[in-house]
Amino acid sequence: MNGGRSAAPGRIRIIGGSLRNSRLNVPQLPGLRPTAERVRETLFNWLAPVMDGARCLDLCAGTGALGIEALSRGAAGVQFVERDARAAQVLRDNLVRLKTTGGQVAVSDAGQFLQGAPQLQDLVFLDPPFALELWSVLAQQLEQGGWLAAQAWIYVESPRAEVPVLPANWQLHREGHAGEVRFALYRRSLPLS
């Protein structure tokens, strides 16, 4: 289920930045749901003031479209995490073909990855497969595991009718809907002691 304009089968386009109009190959895998162009365009318009030099984590990366869009728009680096080895290989191939620097791909379950040594992030893309309902679990791991900069931004994509339970110190900044998808940008504040 995608909101907005759908891509040709097996290809999606980068919307802006140095890689604008570059095409990404997309593997045909069950449950793979690339973020729609219209949603990515809106999100990165919201994020424009904070993208330059940002350290990013694309959790449950899938196609990697969000993270590659971030690299295209000036992010210092993106850690991609994808549990499906085939999707991760296509993502690696796209990064090489586009001659991008700053992107690293880990083949791992998101929850297991977050149990490792934390790397401080300015921006996290939290868009797990909808059927797995992992938003709250992964959000708590991000918050409690030392992964988030003091005022990190967190993008959350979920079904339109579902607002995930997130840490209390994640404040909703902006949100929108596209088809059956809710997309929202949160800003972290330091938790009250």
Side-chain angles (χ1 to χ4, degrees), residues 119-182:
Q119 304 155 23
L120 211 56
Q121 305 294 331
D122 301 307
L123 171 61
V124 175
F125 301 108
L126 182 55
D127 181 17
F130 287 3
L132 299 181
E133 299 184 359
L134 293 172
W135 301 276
S136 298
V137 171
L138 295 176
Q140 286 302 326
Q141 283 187 271
L142 285 164
E143 181 61 38
Q144 295 171 359
W147 287 91
L148 300 173
Q151 294 188 314
W153 296 92
I154 307 99
Y155 169 74
V156 179
E157 195 169 308
S158 62
R160 185 180 185 120
E162 186 166 343
V163 178
V165 175
L166 301 171
N169 60 313
W170 291 15
Q171 302 300 308
L172 180 63
H173 177 69
R174 304 280 297 265
E175 70 178 319
H177 299 93
E180 295 303 311
V181 172
R182 173 185 182 263

Side-chain angles (χ1 to χ4, degrees), residues 13 24 35 46 66 74 84 94-95 107 128 132 134 146 174 184:
R13 176 175 76 95
L24 302 180
T35 300
W46 294 345
L66 290 168
D84 186 288
N94 281 326
L95 290 169
V107 180
L132 299 181
L134 293 172
R174 304 280 297 265

Side-chain angles (χ1 to χ4, degrees), residues 40-124:
R40 281 186 283 124
E41 185 170 14
T42 300
L43 170 63
F44 283 94
N45 285 341
W46 294 345
L47 289 169
V50 299
M51 281 311 309
D52 195 37
R55 298 159 298 177
C56 306
L57 175 61
D58 192 349
L59 212 48
C60 309
T63 64
L66 290 168
I68 293 173
E69 193 81 51
L71 287 170
S72 179
R73 293 170 185 251
V78 177
Q79 174 66 65
F80 298 89
V81 181
E82 174 52 47
R83 69 181 182 157
D84 186 288
R86 294 166 298 172
Q89 187 57 54
V90 172
L91 173 51
R92 278 192 196 99
D93 292 346
N94 281 326
L95 290 169
V96 168
R97 184 174 49 80
L98 296 174
K99 299 182 172 93
T100 59
T101 57
Q104 296 181 347
V105 181
V107 180
S108 177
D109 172 81
Q112 289 176 342
F113 181 84
L114 292 176
Q115 290 172 12
Q119 304 155 23
L120 211 56
Q121 305 294 331
D122 301 307
L123 171 61
V124 175

